[in-house]
């Protein structure tokens, strides 16, 4: 019998590096598996986007892991758009996963939390909505997921309330509270695990409050979640 462990794997070309995020006060990096985003998880944002939050539960879409923008890096204004919007979000980082995770066990899967931005080519997303097409061109483009470092649960606990806001050039654009989330973190994890097999390294962008709006080159976006972090990204 051949010893498969002795066979060297040969690739057609060098595989891409694993996307990672830094961890606060650690030299270890957090390897990212998938990025899930929950839509319309703040009632006021659902209303500003023209939807009734009482008629439908939040839904989920994905961004690719290699769309992350690391702390200290500029957000490059993307191509093929004239209307890029900011959406500040609490980011949940998982250390374990599975299928059909019970609600009371969901928080056991969480490694830590970060502050992120779900950047959106709103004009392309709007066109896709009109045509009934997927949202990837509006949501999953290169560099569409700026994210700060991960803060382990041991340091920040499990935030359930506190301010979440975003400023552009010092002017407040978004201003909400984590307690306004329609679906809470354990509910998101439990629900997602019925749709996908969650894995260590998964990130969940937990939704944004009202006040989303356009940015232009040269703007500086500062995103904040009480008890977690404050991060800054310049639009290049």
């Amino acid at each position: 019998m051949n010893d498969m462990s002795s066979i060297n794997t040969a690739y057609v070309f060098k595989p891409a590096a694993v996307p990672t995020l830094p961890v606060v006060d650690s030299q270890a990096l957090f390897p990212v598996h998938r990025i899930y985003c929950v839509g319309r998880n703040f009632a006021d944002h659902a209303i500003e986007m023209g939807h009734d939050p009482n008629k439908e539960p939040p839904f989920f879409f994905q961004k690719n892991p290699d769309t992350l923008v690391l702390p200290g890096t500029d957000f490059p204004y993307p191509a093929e758009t004239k209307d890029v919007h900011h959406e500040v979000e609490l980011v949940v980082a998982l250390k374990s996963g599975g299928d059909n995770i019970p609600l009371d066990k969901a928080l056991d899967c969480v490694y830590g939390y970060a502050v992120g931005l779900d950047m959106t080519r709103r004009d392309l997303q709007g066109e896709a909505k009109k045509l009934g097409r997927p949202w990837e061109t509006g949501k999953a483009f290169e560099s569409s997921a700026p994210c700060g470092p991960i803060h382990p649960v041991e340091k920040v606990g499990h935030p359930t309330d506190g301010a979440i806001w975003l400023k552009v050039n010092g002017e407040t654009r978004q201003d909400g509270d984590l307690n306004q989330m329609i679906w809470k973190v354990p509910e998101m994890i439990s629900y997602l695990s019925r749709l996908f097999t969650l894995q260590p390294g998964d990130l969940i962008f937990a939704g944004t409050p009202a006040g989303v709006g356009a940015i232009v080159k040269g703007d500086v976006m500062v995103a904040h979640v009480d008890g977690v972090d404050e991060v800054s990204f310049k639009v290049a």
Side-chain angles (χ1 to χ4, degrees):
M1 182 180 294
N2 292 332
D3 181 4
M4 298 301 292
S5 64
S6 66
I7 300 176
N8 293 324
T9 300
Y11 295 101
V12 173
F13 50 83
K14 184 179 179 180
V18 175
T20 61
L21 284 173
V23 177
V24 171
D25 296 331
S26 174
Q27 295 299 312
L29 296 174
F30 184 90
V32 178
H33 175 249
R34 289 180 182 170
I35 299 176
Y36 299 96
C37 302
V38 57
R40 303 175 197 147
N41 199 30
F42 283 72
D44 54 357
H45 175 57
I47 291 169
E48 79 171 343
M49 297 303 291
H51 300 274
D52 184 343
N54 297 314
K55 285 188 177 180
E56 60 181 3
F59 62 92
F60 299 87
F61 57 91
Q62 292 189 37
K63 291 178 182 277
N64 303 318
D66 60 3
T67 63
L68 287 167
V69 178
L70 299 181
T73 306
D74 291 346
F75 166 73
Y77 198 93
E80 300 299 324
T81 181
K82 296 181 179 178
D83 192 24
V84 179
H85 283 204
H86 55 73
E87 298 188 13
V88 59
E89 314 215 356
L90 175 70
V91 179
V92 186
L94 302 187
K95 64 181 179 182
S96 61
D99 299 301
N100 300 307
I101 299 169
L103 189 62
D104 62 352
K105 300 294 184 182
L107 288 182
D108 294 342
C109 299
V110 179
Y111 175 79
Y113 296 88
V115 178
L117 292 167
D118 168 17
M119 302 303 294
T120 303
R121 292 193 285 203
R122 193 70 74 197
D123 45 0
L124 300 190
Q125 183 197 28
E127 186 65 19
K129 286 181 178 181
K130 291 178 184 177
L131 298 173
R133 293 176 178 173
W135 289 8
E136 276 83 357
T137 57
K139 287 289 192 179
F141 55 92
E142 276 69 24
S143 302
S144 61
C147 192
I150 297 174
H151 296 253
V153 168
E154 291 76 15
K155 295 181 180 293
V156 298
H158 294 286
T160 57
D161 55 33
I164 174 172
W165 53 255
L166 182 133
K167 295 181 180 181
V168 177
N169 304 329
E171 175 187 354
T172 299
R173 295 276 191 89
Q174 295 182 260
D175 190 8
D177 195 291
L178 294 179
N179 63 21
Q180 298 167 340
M181 290 196 299
I182 299 170
W183 282 21
K184 311 305 181 185
V185 172
E187 295 170 321
M188 292 181 219
I189 294 171
S190 181
Y191 182 89
L192 267 175
S193 72
R194 302 201 305 267
L195 299 173
F196 301 93
T197 300
L198 296 181
Q199 300 282 352
D202 285 343
L203 300 178
I204 303 172
F205 280 57
T208 196
V212 301
I215 48 89
V216 297
K217 289 183 178 181
D219 283 346
V220 176
M221 303 178 292
V222 178
H224 172 97
V225 175
D226 275 2
V228 180
D229 204 356
E230 184 171 306
V231 295
S232 176
F233 294 93
K234 183 177 180 179
V235 183

